[in-house]
């Protein structure tokens, strides 16, 4: 019998725990034995940690339309240390940061050429990037972050 070294910690026979993988979320860089289910989740999780999480942690400046849409303010959007929460700060006013839980994001959509919207159960947050490539990178990173947050963080 073998323990799955990932989250489930279940016992498996040698036949059912044939996969090995790094578990980057726990800082395990050497391959560890994992069950089939956890192996599939680790593919996405490790990709997120290597490719997308650094972008989200670094943060980016975006324009955020005001309620009437007549003007925009500059906000800094980034992932905070708990790895489950995006925050955005108003760069000009230095107001209290607002939080968006990755687990509560229900829909991520493209808005125009460079903007995107994050929809939770009760609110929509819109951010306008400086380019369509920045828009795409952030949409991809947030989508992966939402997926990983829902099953493991």
């Amino acid at each position: 019998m073998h323990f799955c070294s990932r989250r489930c910690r279940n016992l498996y026979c040698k036949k059912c725990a044939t996969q090995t993988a790094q578990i980057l979320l726990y800082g395990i860089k050497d391959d560890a034995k994992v069950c089939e289910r956890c192996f599939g989740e680790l593919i996405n999780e490790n990709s997120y940690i290597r490719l997308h999480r650094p972008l989200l942690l670094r943060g980016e400046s975006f324009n955020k339309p005001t309620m009437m849409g007549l003007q925009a303010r500059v906000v800094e959007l980034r992932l905070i240390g708990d790895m489950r929460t995006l925050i955005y700060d108003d760069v000009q006013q230095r107001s209290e940061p607002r939080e968006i839980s990755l687990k509560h994001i229900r829909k991520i959509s493209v808005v125009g050429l460079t903007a995107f919207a994050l929809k939770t159960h009760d609110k929509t947050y819109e951010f306008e990037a400086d380019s369509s490539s920045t828009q795409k990178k952030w949409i991809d990173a947030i989508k992966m972050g939402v997926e990983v947050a829902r099953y493991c963080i």
Side-chain angles (χ1 to χ4, degrees):
M1 298 301 268
H2 296 278
F3 270 111
C4 173
S5 298
R6 199 172 154 340
R7 276 180 191 68
C8 75
R9 309 294 292 165
N10 290 328
L11 281 171
Y12 292 94
C13 68
K14 190 174 187 175
K15 181 181 161 193
C16 295
T18 60
Q19 301 289 345
T20 59
Q22 295 176 327
I23 308 171
L24 298 178
L25 187 66
Y26 295 150
I28 300 171
K29 294 184 179 172
D30 295 328
D31 283 349
K33 245 202 211 294
V34 295
C35 68
E36 296 295 324
R37 187 184 125 244
C38 289
F39 180 76
E41 291 175 354
L42 278 167
I43 301 298
N44 285 339
E45 183 180 297
N46 287 342
S47 173
Y48 168 70
I49 288 169
R50 280 190 194 106
L51 302 174
H52 301 295
R53 189 171 71 172
L55 171 78
L56 296 176
L57 285 168
R58 192 170 46 250
E60 186 94 29
S61 291
F62 293 94
N63 286 324
K64 183 152 183 21
T66 58
M67 286 182 67
M68 296 298 198
L70 298 174
Q71 64 185 55
R73 55 186 193 190
V74 178
V75 297
E76 179 79 21
L77 180 65
R78 69 186 176 284
L79 183 70
I80 60 173
D82 72 357
M83 304 301 168
R84 294 182 292 234
T85 309
L86 290 170
I87 63 167
Y88 66 94
D89 290 324
D90 189 318
V91 173
Q92 292 137 342
Q93 293 183 0
R94 293 289 175 207
S95 58
E96 281 294 310
R98 303 218 175 136
E99 297 185 355
I100 307 168
S101 169
L102 289 174
K103 288 183 179 183
H104 293 146
I105 295 173
R106 301 286 178 247
K107 184 177 181 183
I108 304 167
S109 55
V110 172
V111 180
L113 296 175
T114 60
F116 61 93
L118 308 176
K119 181 156 179 52
T120 63
H121 66 283
D122 64 343
K123 194 161 184 185
T124 300
Y125 304 88
E126 193 173 312
F127 301 94
E128 185 175 349
D130 61 355
S131 68
S132 58
S133 64
T134 300
Q135 173 202 50
K136 182 179 177 355
K137 281 192 270 188
W138 273 79
I139 288 173
D140 291 346
I142 294 169
K143 280 182 180 176
M144 188 66 82
V146 167
E147 187 177 320
V148 170
R150 286 203 177 124
Y151 68 78
C152 72
I153 299 178

